[in-house]
Amino acid sequence: MSSEKTTAIVLRTIEFSETSSIVTLFTRDFGKIRALAKGARRPKGPFESALDLLCLCRIVFLRKSSDALDLLTEAKLERRFRPPGGNLSSLYAAYYVAELLNELTDDYDPHPELFDVADRTLAALRTSSAVASILLRFELTTLHLLGHLPSLETCAECGTAVKPVGRVPFSQLAGGVLCQSCRVGQRQIISISSGALAALVRFSDASSEKAEELDSRVAGELRAILNHYISHLLGHPPRMVRYLGVSNS
C-alpha cells in the first residue's frame, strides 16, 4: 500500500461501526475515493471535525491495490461550509453540488479543474445570495468538463446552427437543441425560450466567471431544463432537486 496526500472535499459519510465511518471524498489529485476512517466517530477521534459533510481538508490515505476501501490515516480541516446567515437555499445548493460530484464522477478518475470549480462554488455559496446563478454555472461547467454538455448553438442531430428565436426544441435523448427539420418525429422534446437558451450559452462559457443575476422567470425555466437533463443523464432525479427552489434574492 502506498501513502498518498491530497486536498479533498467531503461528499458523504456513513457509519461503519460504533467508532468508524466510511467516507466518500472528491480529491484534487486522485478524483473520487472511498475510504475507511477508523476512530472517526469517537468524541476525540483522530480526525476531529475534518470529515463533516462539505468540509475542505488535507488528507493522507493508504491506497489499496484491490477493490477494498482505502484507509484514511489523517485529515486536517482547512475550511468548513457554513451558509450565509443560515441560508437554507445556499445549504441545499451545496448539498446538491456534493451529490453531483458523487453521481457524475468515477472512482480514481482525477479532474483537478473540476475540483477547483467545486471549491470555488462552495466558497461562493458561503458568501453570496445569488444561489441560482452560482449553481447554474457549476452545473454547466461540470457538464462541460465531464463531456456531457448539451449542444446549445447547433442542432444535436445535423449540426445546423440554431438561432435563439422564439421557442427552441430541446431533446434530452439527442443531447441538445434541434432545428425544425430534425425536430419532426423526435420524442421527449421540451420547448425552451430564447432567453433561457441565451442564458445557457452564456453560463456554459468556461472562460467567464462573471457574476450575473437571473430574472426569476428565466431562473425557474433554467432550473426545470437542468433538472430534466441531469435526471436523464443519471437515470434518476437527484435527491436534492426537490429542495432547489433557489432565487437570487
Side-chain angles (χ1 to χ4, degrees):
M1 294 185 294
S2 60
S3 177
E4 308 286 6
K5 298 180 180 180
T6 187
T7 305
I9 298 169
V10 182
L11 302 183
R12 189 183 183 196
T13 63
I14 59 174
E15 297 179 3
F16 179 72
S17 67
E18 290 185 2
T19 60
S20 302
S21 298
I22 294 174
V23 294
T24 302
L25 305 162
F26 188 63
T27 73
R28 193 177 194 282
D29 302 293
F30 303 96
K32 184 174 65 182
I33 68 169
R34 305 175 196 275
L36 176 63
K38 293 183 177 180
R41 301 186 62 224
R42 291 175 183 156
K44 295 184 179 180
F47 307 109
E48 297 182 355
S49 299
L51 298 181
D52 290 342
L53 186 61
L54 301 173
C55 280
L56 178 72
C57 52
R58 289 288 302 173
I59 66 168
V60 179
F61 67 99
L62 296 176
R63 182 171 179 177
K64 297 293 185 70
S65 57
S66 65
D67 291 335
L69 292 168
D70 294 329
L71 180 63
L72 193 67
T73 58
E74 295 180 34
K76 183 177 180 180
L77 179 67
E78 291 201 350
R79 188 176 67 238
R80 183 185 310 284
F81 181 83
R82 286 195 176 95
N87 186 311
L88 285 179
S89 292
S90 295
L91 181 62
Y92 293 151
Y95 287 161
Y96 179 64
V97 167
E99 183 177 5
L100 287 191
L101 289 174
N102 191 27
E103 292 270 6
L104 288 173
T105 62
D106 296 320
D107 293 353
Y108 284 105
D109 183 16
H111 291 279
E113 190 175 354
L114 177 57
F115 178 91
D116 292 342
V117 168
D119 187 29
R120 290 196 299 269
T121 298
L122 292 175
L125 288 171
R126 289 172 60 241
T127 58
S128 174
S129 60
V131 175
S133 58
I134 292 170
L135 202 56
L136 176 63
R137 191 173 295 282
F138 171 76
E139 289 171 297
L140 292 172
T141 302
T142 297
L143 292 174
H144 170 73
L145 292 174
L146 296 179
H148 299 306
L149 185 69
S151 179
L152 300 172
E153 298 181 275
T154 59
C155 176
E157 289 285 358
C158 70
T160 302
V162 175
K163 295 181 179 180
V165 177
R167 300 197 67 85
V168 179
F170 181 97
S171 168
Q172 63 177 12
L173 295 178
V177 296
L178 298 172
C179 67
Q180 293 303 321
S181 297
C182 293
R183 188 258 179 271
V184 178
Q186 292 278 357
R187 297 183 297 110
Q188 298 186 27
I189 301 294
I190 60 174
S191 175
I192 63 178
S193 69
S194 57
L197 180 56
L200 286 172
V201 172
R202 291 197 308 275
F203 276 81
S204 64
D205 181 1
S207 65
S208 172
E209 292 189 9
K210 181 181 178 182
E212 178 182 338
E213 291 193 358
L214 291 168
D215 174 85
S216 59
R217 183 168 52 186
V218 172
E221 183 178 1
L222 291 172
R223 182 74 271 136
I225 294 167
L226 267 297
N227 288 353
H228 190 69
Y229 184 76
I230 291 174
S231 295
H232 172 73
L233 195 62
L234 296 178
H236 60 85
R239 288 178 300 122
M240 291 307 301
V241 156
R242 71 185 71 179
Y243 302 106
L244 298 183
V246 294
S247 70
N248 282 312
S249 58

